Amino acid sequence: PQGRSKKKSRRHQRFMERRVLLEQKGLLSPHRHLSNQTPIVGSEARSTVTKAGGSMTSRCKKVPKSKEVVSPSLSPSASPDRIARHHSVLLSQGNGSSKGVRMSSPCLRPGKYVAIDCEMVGTGPQGRLSELARCSVVNYDGDVVYDKYVQPELPIVDYRTRWSGITKQNMESAIPFKAAQAEILKILKDKIVVGHAIHHDFQALKYFHPKDRTRDTSRIPMLNQRAGLPGRANVSLKSLARHLLHKKIQVGCKGHSSVEDAQTAMELYRLVEVQWETELARKQPPRPPSPITDPSTDSSQYMDDQYWPTDLMTSGL
């Protein structure tokens, strides 16, 4: 045992000498010595002081560790049951936004969610072609992040003001379609996008969003069931808002508000977010197991003599 301890001590000494050598050559960043490590004396102590901008700076000070806030999170491969339990904990803790709707995102990343709604006008023969004239995007809390009027690529034949709310005066401040499209798609990139009959909005944008990142509130049977309506029925946003949110939208003769419609879609999504995301998680195919790492590739082995260049050892040690 005594022989093994001496051998270990000599190996540790060689290790520390090589570290000091690499630090002096600038090939290794200076090592921060902890209080529970063996103190270094002699020539090795010089490595605890480094030059920074021409002045000598001691590294012996203990830098206070910043407190880490550990937030509960789920791995992407979490089981549906675990997602449901996780949401139950969150809801019991009362996490929520200032608008009274509780946060229950499976990944706790509300910044990844946006809701969109577009208003279209009629172009082409007899105004039958629908083109984008206004687009509104809101975040998870319903705050507006984008709302602009858009000039269609073809001349407007029918403003459809009764439904779109678009007038000729709105087009005076409208931006070209290509410019609006670029701005909107930049916002939607890598986001989970919520909307009602959202395929119409994507069609107006001439864009296709990944299906797994799309949440269409017109295609959620659980929303219809909550409202006491047939599960597979095509229910309007106005009807769902009246039954589930107890608010009236799309009223009057001035047309729809794309901001109000986007906010309403996000509110409806958040009502059933836990159940919906759990259901989607059940339908996802199982993830392949992680590859087994080879212990022989552990980086600590490279401190052995056989991995060190001969010229480095002979020149410095």
Side-chain angles (χ1 to χ4, degrees):
Q2 185 176 1
R4 281 199 300 273
S5 120
K6 287 183 180 179
K7 183 177 179 181
K8 183 177 179 182
S9 175
R10 286 196 298 271
R11 183 177 178 183
H12 179 69
Q13 187 177 359
R14 286 200 306 273
F15 170 84
M16 298 307 298
E17 289 171 350
R18 288 168 183 165
R19 177 181 287 279
V20 172
L21 176 61
L22 291 177
E23 290 176 2
Q24 291 173 349
K25 288 179 176 290
L27 301 176
L28 186 66
S29 59
H31 181 59
R32 294 183 183 274
H33 301 291
L34 302 177
S35 58
N36 59 351
Q37 288 184 333
T38 307
I40 303 175
V41 295
S43 61
E44 296 172 12
R46 288 195 297 270
S47 67
T48 62
V49 180
T50 58
K51 290 186 178 181
S55 61
M56 303 300 287
T57 306
S58 172
R59 294 188 300 99
C60 297
K61 286 184 181 179
K62 287 186 178 180
V63 180
K65 241 185 179 181
S66 59
K67 292 184 179 180
E68 296 182 358
V69 179
V70 181
S71 60
S73 60
L74 291 175
S75 67
S77 57
S79 67
D81 293 337
R82 186 173 179 188
I83 292 176
R85 287 197 302 270
H86 181 68
H87 281 297
S88 299
V89 172
L90 290 179
L91 294 176
S92 66
Q93 291 174 349
N95 291 335
S97 69
S98 59
K99 296 199 174 185
V101 182
R102 289 177 174 174
M103 268 179 46
S104 52
S105 170
C107 300
L108 294 181
R109 291 181 300 172
K112 282 288 184 181
Y113 291 78
V114 294
I116 188 172
D117 188 76
C118 298
E119 300 297 342
M120 279 74 81
V121 292
T123 63
Q126 300 179 355
R128 292 179 179 175
L129 182 63
S130 294
E131 286 200 57
L132 181 67
R134 183 185 180 185
C135 181
S136 302
V137 181
V138 302
N139 62 15
Y140 188 82
D141 295 316
D143 302 319
V144 178
V145 296
Y146 188 91
D147 182 31
K148 290 185 181 181
Y149 291 102
V150 182
Q151 183 68 52
E153 295 180 305
L154 296 177
I156 299 176
V157 177
D158 184 359
Y159 284 94
R160 303 177 184 173
T161 306
R162 172 66 180 81
W163 298 276
S164 69
I166 305 296
T167 64
K168 187 176 181 179
Q169 288 73 26
N170 296 144
M171 291 297 102
E172 295 175 0
S173 60
I175 64 174
F177 172 77
K178 290 293 183 184
Q181 183 190 47
E183 293 174 350
I184 297 164
L185 298 192
K186 187 175 180 181
I187 296 173
L188 302 187
K189 184 181 178 183
D190 299 327
K191 298 287 197 306
I192 292 178
V193 185
V194 180
H196 194 83
I198 199 170
H199 58 282
H200 293 308
D201 303 304
F202 291 152
Q203 187 176 7
L205 285 167
K206 299 180 181 179
Y207 169 68
F208 175 78
H209 198 69
K211 187 177 179 181
D212 62 329
R213 295 180 188 173
T214 302
R215 305 290 185 266
D216 190 342
T217 53
S218 70
R219 299 179 179 272
I220 318 176
M222 59 188 70
L223 272 177
N224 293 5
Q225 291 165 4
R226 275 198 176 204
L229 302 170
R232 295 295 176 182
N234 189 10
V235 184
S236 67
L237 183 67
K238 181 177 181 179
S239 180
L240 287 174
R242 185 175 70 254
H243 283 87
L244 298 176
L245 304 176
H246 308 291
K247 72 175 186 178
K248 295 179 180 180
I249 63 171
Q250 302 174 356
V251 294
C253 301
K254 294 184 179 180
H256 302 177
S257 165
S258 51
V259 170
E260 184 181 52
D261 289 353
Q263 290 171 335
T264 302
M266 181 61 83
E267 287 182 65
L268 289 171
Y269 166 75
R270 293 178 64 171
L271 276 180
V272 293
E273 182 182 1
V274 176
Q275 298 93 328
W276 195 3
E277 295 298 336
T278 303
E279 183 66 23
L280 290 176
R282 284 199 185 97
K283 293 179 179 179
Q284 287 179 353
R287 290 175 174 266
S290 302
I292 301 174
T293 56
D294 185 359
S296 64
T297 59
D298 187 4
S299 59
S300 61
Q301 65 170 318
Y302 294 114
M303 293 308 296
D304 294 342
D305 294 341
Q306 58 178 320
Y307 295 105
W308 280 70
T310 309
D311 56 344
L312 182 61
M313 293 175 61
T314 55
S315 64
L317 300 178

